[in-house]
Amino acid sequence: MEKLVPELKVFTPGDTRRYEQANRIWYILSGYAHANKESGKLITYGELAELMGYGRRAGRGLKEALALVSLYSLYNNLPPMSVIVVNQLTEEPGFLDMLREGRTLAQEQNAVFDTNWYKYRVPSPGTFRKVAENLSWDDVR
């Protein structure tokens, strides 16, 4: 008997490009921000990596994808979503130069939790590819 519906596919670490990771990170962080709106609980790089199906140590390799997420957020006048992803020891994001002018880290983190990310369409991997090819931090400053 022919299957009418394709089987569910699983992401594998070696098959995922940074703009595909950015798409997945947007899904995860938007849900995470919504679920933790009241507590403001931050997520570590290792926890994010595990949610993506990687080992905890793979969190270090998500820097470029997280930068794409924040760059696109800022380009669309939204808080840089990746500020809620922090180092387990320092509880700070990997780089602080993504903050909007005149805003503190705490203000940006609160803004991420206060934003209703569900009212925005999730950017596709193709959109994040265009971000990688065409945007720079100078474009959002």
Side-chain angles (χ1 to χ4, degrees):
M1 178 178 189
E2 182 181 335
K3 291 185 179 179
L4 299 177
V5 177
E7 290 183 24
L8 184 63
K9 295 180 181 178
V10 176
F11 289 106
T12 57
D15 293 342
T16 308
R17 295 181 175 100
R18 66 182 172 167
Y19 46 86
E20 292 166 331
Q21 288 175 332
N23 169 259
R24 292 173 60 202
I25 287 169
W26 187 287
Y27 274 109
I28 292 167
L29 293 184
S30 62
Y32 189 88
H34 177 75
N36 292 282
K37 180 178 177 135
E38 298 300 320
S39 69
K41 182 180 180 297
L42 304 173
I43 184 171
T44 67
Y45 289 98
E47 291 168 331
L48 176 60
E50 284 183 332
L51 287 173
M52 295 177 74
Y54 306 147
R56 288 185 75 80
R57 296 180 133 217
R60 295 183 210 153
L62 299 175
K63 182 180 176 181
E64 288 182 30
L66 284 161
L68 293 176
V69 169
S70 282
L71 186 58
Y72 191 64
S73 298
L74 291 167
Y75 181 75
N76 284 283
N77 201 31
L78 292 167
M81 192 186 296
S82 66
V83 295
I84 66 170
V85 183
V86 296
N87 177 293
Q88 183 176 352
L89 299 176
T90 65
E91 294 190 355
E92 289 188 351
F95 47 98
L96 296 174
D97 59 346
M98 73 180 101
L99 303 179
R100 292 178 286 181
E101 189 174 330
R103 308 269 302 187
T104 67
L105 175 58
Q107 288 172 323
E108 291 292 53
Q109 288 171 331
N110 289 334
V112 169
F113 288 113
D114 290 340
T115 298
N116 179 5
W117 296 99
Y118 292 142
K119 75 179 188 177
Y120 303 102
R121 291 182 183 218
V122 176
S124 69
T127 296
F128 282 117
R129 184 179 198 168
K130 289 177 183 174
V131 169
E133 294 170 351
N134 299 306
L135 279 182
S136 73
W137 291 106
D138 291 335
D139 295 325
V140 296
R141 299 256 177 243

